[in-house]
Amino acid sequence: MKIQKSYTATDVHVAGEAYRIIKDGPLIHYKSIQELNEQFSLAYEEEIKFLLNEPRGFAGLMGCLVVPPFKSEADAAVIFFDHNGTVPMQYGGIVAVITALLECGQLKAKSSNEYRIETISGVIGVAATMKDDEVKLVKLKSEPCQVVQTNVPVSYLDLKTEVSLVQADHLYAIFDKAELPFEIEMEDLPVINQWGQKVIEALEGNHAFSRVILMDHSQKSVGKIKTVTFRPDRYIVRSPGFGTLAACCSYLIENGDISVNGPIENESIFNGKLTAELSAQFEAGYEFSFSARGFITGMQTYVLDPTDPLFAGFLLK
């Protein structure tokens, strides 16, 4: 085998969401993180396919390129990317990156536990608590989330229901599970998938949305909800979702369904859990403090054989 390209990556999952972190990208010139972001999709086109497409990746895998910071107050800079190019902000990606940098010794642990990660959306403050050289807990805050519209009628085939729209890191369309004859459990995954496809078809062309959430809030009185989140391409988001949690909390607080005091835990269909707590309320919406933990799942060197017939990889969704 003649190796044409090779990259070493650290894989980290955060509540089930997988991130592939690379630090040895192509050598291109850039003066700022904005310039790197602008050049990324073209300069890293082969690397995006190489590292995220199958057979080395899969449809839900998110990439993180870590580079030295441009701003003096930051500890590291990161560009987040998916199969289509760069994405502005990934709360789970911040947790993954700070976990990998600290546990691999590439960032020296601070007694304050406070770190700052530079992104295209600004410098993000994060608190990472370590014990025995492991990152045990990561805390960071959301951008303000706002309820945009509630009780919007949706009708399509035999589907007659209502949706609420909440702007968080995406525009989320939230549906109440109470009226549906199944549970958010793995054994009901086929019927959940059918429901998700029907709802996305109902919303397409009629309502702006970036994600669809099915929310079970039957245990909201004890600070727990359960959700499943769909992307517009019908892919189920693997984690409970930082944005999903913030959007659901905003909706429930706005309706007076949950207390603004105390944490809310969101559990995914895969039993991944994330916790959020209201940290501030503005005219523009609600800000939440997230608590999460990342786990390193692998450190691997990926190589490309120029005779490989699947040079650009592929995706099955």
Side-chain angles (χ1 to χ4, degrees), residues 143-152 163-174 215 244-258 281-288:
E143 292 296 313
C145 308
Q146 189 172 41
V147 177
V148 177
Q149 214 171 352
T150 59
N151 304 322
V152 181
V163 63
S164 295
L165 301 175
V166 180
Q167 182 66 59
D169 57 337
H170 297 281
L171 181 60
Y172 291 87
I174 301 179
M215 174 174 62
T244 293
L245 180 52
C248 290
C249 287
S250 299
Y251 170 77
L252 292 171
I253 291 173
E254 189 91 350
N255 282 358
D257 286 331
I258 60 172
Q281 184 174 347
F282 311 104
E283 189 175 340
Y286 303 97
E287 178 190 86
F288 297 93

Side-chain angles (χ1 to χ4, degrees), residues 14-16 172 174 184 212-220 222-229 237-249 252 258 263-277 289-292:
V14 180
Y172 291 87
I174 301 179
I184 300 180
V212 168
I213 301 172
L214 179 60
M215 174 174 62
D216 179 352
H217 54 84
S218 58
Q219 296 191 68
K220 60 192 175 190
V222 293
K224 294 183 178 181
I225 61 173
K226 196 163 187 176
T227 64
V228 58
T229 304
V237 177
R238 279 357 189 202
S239 88
F242 291 81
T244 293
L245 180 52
C248 290
C249 287
L252 292 171
I258 60 172
I264 295 293
E265 179 187 87
N266 185 25
E267 182 178 349
S268 75
I269 193 171
F270 308 102
N271 301 320
K273 296 176 181 176
L274 288 175
T275 303
E277 193 166 358
S289 175
F290 297 119
S291 297

Side-chain angles (χ1 to χ4, degrees), residues 108-221:
K108 188 175 181 181
K110 299 179 182 178
S111 57
S112 66
N113 296 333
E114 302 288 336
Y115 305 90
R116 299 179 72 80
I117 304 298
E118 187 176 357
T119 73
I120 194 63
S121 301
V123 177
I124 308 299
V126 55
T129 303
M130 296 190 73
K131 184 178 180 182
D132 299 330
D133 297 326
E134 273 192 308
V135 177
K136 298 293 187 182
L137 183 68
V138 178
K139 289 188 174 183
L140 71 166
K141 291 183 179 178
S142 74
E143 292 296 313
C145 308
Q146 189 172 41
V147 177
V148 177
Q149 214 171 352
T150 59
N151 304 322
V152 181
V154 174
S155 179
Y156 180 72
L157 300 177
D158 61 339
L159 178 71
K160 296 189 186 304
T161 185
E162 293 181 339
V163 63
S164 295
L165 301 175
V166 180
Q167 182 66 59
D169 57 337
H170 297 281
L171 181 60
Y172 291 87
I174 301 179
F175 290 84
D176 191 339
K177 209 278 312 168
E179 60 193 59
L180 297 173
F182 55 81
E183 300 300 323
I184 300 180
E185 303 287 351
M186 284 295 287
E187 51 265 36
D188 286 332
L189 187 57
V191 68
I192 291 173
N193 257 321
Q194 291 173 7
W195 176 90
Q197 294 196 21
K198 186 186 298 183
V199 165
I200 289 171
E201 289 172 10
L203 295 179
E204 283 176 335
N206 296 310
H207 300 280
F209 72 101
S210 301
R211 298 285 188 276
V212 168
I213 301 172
L214 179 60
M215 174 174 62
D216 179 352
H217 54 84
S218 58
Q219 296 191 68
K220 60 192 175 190
S221 61

